[in-house]
Amino acid sequence: MTTPNSSDSLARLAAVMESRKPRNGGDPNASYVARLLAKGPDAFLKKIGEEATEMVMAAKDVDHGGDKAKLVGEVADLWFHCMVALAHYELSPADVLAELERREGTSGIEEKAMRKVLAREQGAE
């Protein structure tokens, strides 16, 4: 059994989303992505909030014997809507993957502390 390349799958989905942008001929009457993009950030940001809540609830259900497949489905919904946001802001999954790679090997605790220091320094300017 072969394992799909996650970055290839994300890149293909991002390309579809790019094609669904209104300026690229995406039809809001025929495409959910085109409809969200045409409605603007309020529409897809609201969906991201809803999907994040549903993902949290599914994870809590798994903690109590719930179906892990439900959690996977909710994460997929969340990622999908986050990708709509990335498309709107002219970003791609590759940008997110590059940031994750940049962080690889960095302690999350140290990284968070460094962000606080940088924020304080910027506030002092």
Side-chain angles (χ1 to χ4, degrees):
M1 182 170 105
T2 61
T3 303
N5 184 324
S6 299
S7 62
D8 288 348
S9 298
L10 294 173
R12 283 193 305 275
L13 181 55
V16 169
M17 288 187 178
E18 186 67 26
S19 74
R20 303 287 164 81
K21 289 181 176 180
R23 72 166 183 257
N24 294 332
D27 179 0
N29 294 315
S31 165
Y32 177 67
V33 170
R35 187 176 316 139
L36 282 174
L37 290 170
K39 287 182 178 181
D42 286 348
F44 58 77
L45 295 174
K46 179 180 177 186
K47 284 300 296 180
I48 290 170
E50 291 171 5
E51 298 301 343
T53 299
E54 291 172 10
M55 192 257 352
V56 168
M57 291 175 6
K60 296 299 263 177
D61 288 346
V62 169
D63 285 338
H64 296 93
D67 185 6
K68 289 182 181 180
K70 173 88 167 132
L71 175 58
V72 170
E74 294 301 343
V75 170
D77 290 346
L78 177 59
W79 285 14
F80 177 88
H81 289 89
C82 287
M83 287 183 64
V84 172
L86 289 173
H88 173 80
Y89 294 110
E90 303 297 331
L91 296 165
S92 73
D95 296 309
V96 177
L97 293 172
E99 176 61 13
L100 290 171
E101 288 173 9
R102 184 191 69 77
R103 295 179 186 185
E104 189 174 353
T106 303
S107 162
I109 294 170
E110 291 173 12
E111 199 268 338
K112 187 174 181 179
M114 183 55 73
R115 280 194 311 234
K116 287 182 181 180
V117 168
L118 291 174
R120 270 183 281 180
E121 288 174 358
Q122 290 175 348
E125 293 175 3

